[in-house]
Every structure is written in C-alpha cells, then in structure tokens.
Amino acid sequence: MAVRQRRMLANYLEVGETPTFALMGAGFTELNESPSAQTTSKRYINDKSATQSVTGYEWSTAFTTDQIKAQEVIDYICNIGEKQLTGAEAETRYVMVDLDKLAEEATPNVFEARMIKVAIEVSGFGDEDGEMTAEGNLLGNGDIVIGTFATLTQTFTETV
C-alpha cells in the first residue's frame, strides 16, 4: 500500500490583471489544507451521550514560500502583504487539482479539482539564513466548488 505523494496535488492561484491561474510550485515549502469542520452538540434527555453533527467548515490553507519574485504567484502574494491590501484586492480563486484522478479516461490532462474563493492573509515576511520568506493563510470565502481542471489550458469547469 503506497502513501499518496504531495506532488500529486497541484495548486493554482488566480493572479494578474487579466486573471490566469498560476501554479504554486517552485518556492513553496509548505501548503497545508485545513478543512476545520464546525460542529454542534446536543444531549437529549433520554440519551447518556451527545448527538453531534458537522454544520459547516472554516476552511484555510497555511503557506510558506521563499520570495522568488520571478514566480508570478509569489510576487502576487507578496504584493498583497507589502501594500497591505484588503477586501476584494486581497481576494482571488484557488484550485486544488488531483493529478492522480483523471476526469475522463478519454480526455488527457483534465483532472478532478476543487475550487474556492480565498482571501490571502500574509502574516509575516521572514529571514531564513539571509533569504527572504513569506507566510500566511489562504482563507476560504464561501463553499468549495467541485469540477475539473485542464492543466494545458489552465481552465476550471464546474461539474453540474
């Protein structure tokens, strides 16, 4: 039984004035998803134990990256923190692509994917032995959208 490799999950962030999806790869040393299920609990009078349910999610992804400004996605993220952008100026779309799950056998380079609107929280700029880093969180803004992602054209299509 093989453990799934991190490289089988490709992450893309929509960047630029004419928005396009850019791969979050080179420079990123950490990109960890946290669904953070929100729950409720109620104990009924005839039960010893509580009844629990999941009521929603407070989704986020923590990131750490080297400041490689030649990487468009890193420059985009650093710009938000450096200029302390807020609101819509700090929001974009984020796609998680399962490279080990082809959408259809007959369609190469189209994979199952999830997309969510995010607010980019840059929490710090660090120094690792003289090399600059950036860290923070992508904060979920709404629900996950299920669909497919074409890696050649870098387009997301929602599953109906």
Side-chain angles (χ1 to χ4, degrees):
M1 176 181 336
V3 175
R4 188 173 187 213
Q5 297 293 304
R6 175 61 179 90
R7 61 187 170 79
M8 296 311 295
L9 181 64
N11 305 89
Y12 292 84
L13 197 66
E14 192 174 51
V15 301
E17 294 200 17
T18 306
T20 57
F21 285 105
L23 179 65
M24 300 172 80
F28 285 86
T29 58
E30 180 182 346
L31 199 55
N32 298 320
E33 183 179 0
S34 178
S36 298
Q38 304 299 294
T39 62
T40 62
S41 177
K42 182 180 268 188
R43 190 182 62 78
Y44 295 104
I45 60 171
N46 61 325
D47 293 334
K48 291 189 294 183
S49 300
T51 298
Q52 299 179 69
S53 64
V54 174
T55 58
Y57 292 88
E58 196 168 312
W59 183 96
S60 66
T61 290
F63 68 83
T64 303
T65 184
D66 293 329
Q67 286 193 32
I68 303 172
K69 297 287 191 126
Q71 293 290 321
E72 183 180 21
V73 70
I74 296 172
D75 189 49
Y76 182 84
I77 290 170
C78 289
N79 184 60
I80 290 171
E82 290 165 354
K83 293 182 180 174
Q84 298 182 5
L85 302 179
T86 60
E89 292 182 311
E91 294 175 354
T92 192
R93 296 186 307 161
Y94 174 69
V95 178
M96 297 150 282
V97 182
D98 292 309
L99 297 176
D100 54 355
K101 296 179 183 176
L102 276 172
E104 296 178 22
E105 284 296 320
T107 310
N109 303 311
V110 178
F111 302 92
E112 292 181 16
R114 298 172 290 143
M115 183 179 69
I116 188 168
K117 185 175 180 185
V118 294
I120 299 172
E121 171 209 358
V122 180
S123 59
F125 294 116
D127 176 354
E128 297 285 329
D129 292 326
E131 295 182 341
M132 297 297 295
T133 63
E135 59 186 43
N137 295 286
L138 304 179
L139 305 172
N141 187 344
D143 293 332
I144 294 273
V145 176
I146 304 299
T148 61
F149 190 82
T151 55
L152 293 179
T153 60
Q154 297 183 336
T155 54
F156 179 85
T157 304
E158 183 176 353
T159 303
V160 181

